[in-house]
Amino acid sequence: MRALRILLIVVVVLGVLFTVADRVAVHFAEQQVADKLRETEHLPSSPDVSIKGFPFLTQVAGGKLDDVEVGIEHYEADGGERGQKIRIDDLKADMKGVEFSGDYSSATAADATGTATIAYDELLKTAGAESTQVLPGVTTRVVGLADGGNGKIKVTVKVSALPAPIQVLSSVSVENNKVRVKADGLPDLAGLALAEGRMRSVTDFQQAIDQLPGGIRLASVRAAKNGVEITVKGSKVRLAG
């Protein structure tokens, strides 16, 4: 019985030591991946990296991590024309099947999905970039974007010939890696003879979201309280190298 107790104690101690070693190793790996991702994507600070699954050391031995979660607080994406940038907030990506080199200098995920938010004030930079003349002496400009409820965006437009701004509800969609905003309908502008096409040149707009981390792309989009929520996805996504 004494020998059995000693054996059990040894097994427990070895198990604890293995668990501690495993957690130390995974923490080191998370730091390495975060630093490499910061360098690759030119981020101002290291992202949050969490390597899931236990034990970690057996995953290392196989050269592939089952599940890696990455969080980037702010990311400057390519906004398309004129080299403009657009800020993406709270980007969270779940990477599956991550193959890596021994020193973590390169890491590629088989598949990735994620979510992020584009604040309305960021989207407004495109929509309200400049005034548009729709009639001689009459200009219009988007001056506000907000949650319109039921998955719609409330677009506020200032028309120079009217005493107060007008508001329209718009639908938001994704096409060719662009967020598209389109008015569901246009109001009667107090007798102004504005062609719908001219007015829609102001109310309807698009914003490119390119060069996201690792080559992930827009998958879907929806209007929410604090901004436009996007989902992203990709395959063979490069985390580093």
Side-chain angles (χ1 to χ4, degrees), residues 39-83:
E39 179 182 341
T40 299
E41 298 296 339
H42 308 291
L43 302 175
S45 60
S46 295
D48 294 328
V49 174
S50 178
I51 299 174
K52 304 298 182 180
F54 180 84
F56 166 71
L57 293 174
T58 59
Q59 297 182 65
V60 172
K64 180 184 289 188
L65 304 178
D66 297 333
D67 190 354
V68 178
E69 293 182 357
V70 175
I72 301 175
E73 185 177 5
H74 302 299
Y75 183 83
E76 296 290 325
D78 186 352
E81 297 179 1
R82 300 185 297 274

Side-chain angles (χ1 to χ4, degrees), residues 97-117:
V98 179
E99 296 183 347
F100 59 93
S101 61
D103 60 354
Y104 304 102
S105 60
S106 65
T108 303
D111 297 288
T113 57
T115 60
T117 299

Side-chain angles (χ1 to χ4, degrees), residues 75-81 83-86 207-212:
Y75 183 83
E76 296 290 325
D78 186 352
E81 297 179 1
Q84 66 188 24
K85 297 293 184 178
I86 183 166
Q207 172 63 60
I209 309 293
D210 291 323
Q211 296 184 4
L212 289 171

Side-chain angles (χ1 to χ4, degrees), residues 130-214:
E130 56 189 36
S131 297
T132 299
Q133 182 171 303
V134 292
L135 284 176
V138 179
T139 61
T140 60
R141 180 182 179 186
V142 176
V143 295
L145 298 175
D147 179 24
N150 297 319
K152 302 292 184 180
I153 294 179
K154 181 170 63 178
V155 181
T156 302
V157 181
K158 174 60 179 174
V159 181
S160 62
L162 298 179
I166 64 170
Q167 294 181 333
V168 298
L169 288 179
S170 300
S171 298
V172 60
S173 61
V174 167
E175 185 178 340
N176 297 327
N177 230 37
K178 294 181 175 65
V179 175
R180 294 184 179 274
V181 178
K182 183 178 181 180
D184 294 348
L186 298 177
D188 180 6
L189 299 183
L192 285 177
L194 295 179
E196 181 170 325
R198 292 178 182 175
M199 192 61 187
R200 282 194 177 275
S201 69
V202 179
T203 60
D204 299 358
F205 60 93
Q206 64 183 27
Q207 172 63 60
I209 309 293
D210 291 323
Q211 296 184 4
L212 289 171

Side-chain angles (χ1 to χ4, degrees), residues 4-22:
L4 180 58
R5 286 196 298 270
I6 293 174
L7 178 60
L8 289 175
I9 292 172
V10 170
V11 169
V12 170
V13 170
L14 290 177
V16 170
L17 291 176
F18 176 80
T19 300
V20 171
D22 192 83

Side-chain angles (χ1 to χ4, degrees), residues 79-92:
E81 297 179 1
R82 300 185 297 274
Q84 66 188 24
K85 297 293 184 178
I86 183 166
R87 189 185 75 245
I88 309 297
D89 297 324
D90 299 324
L91 176 59
K92 296 179 175 62

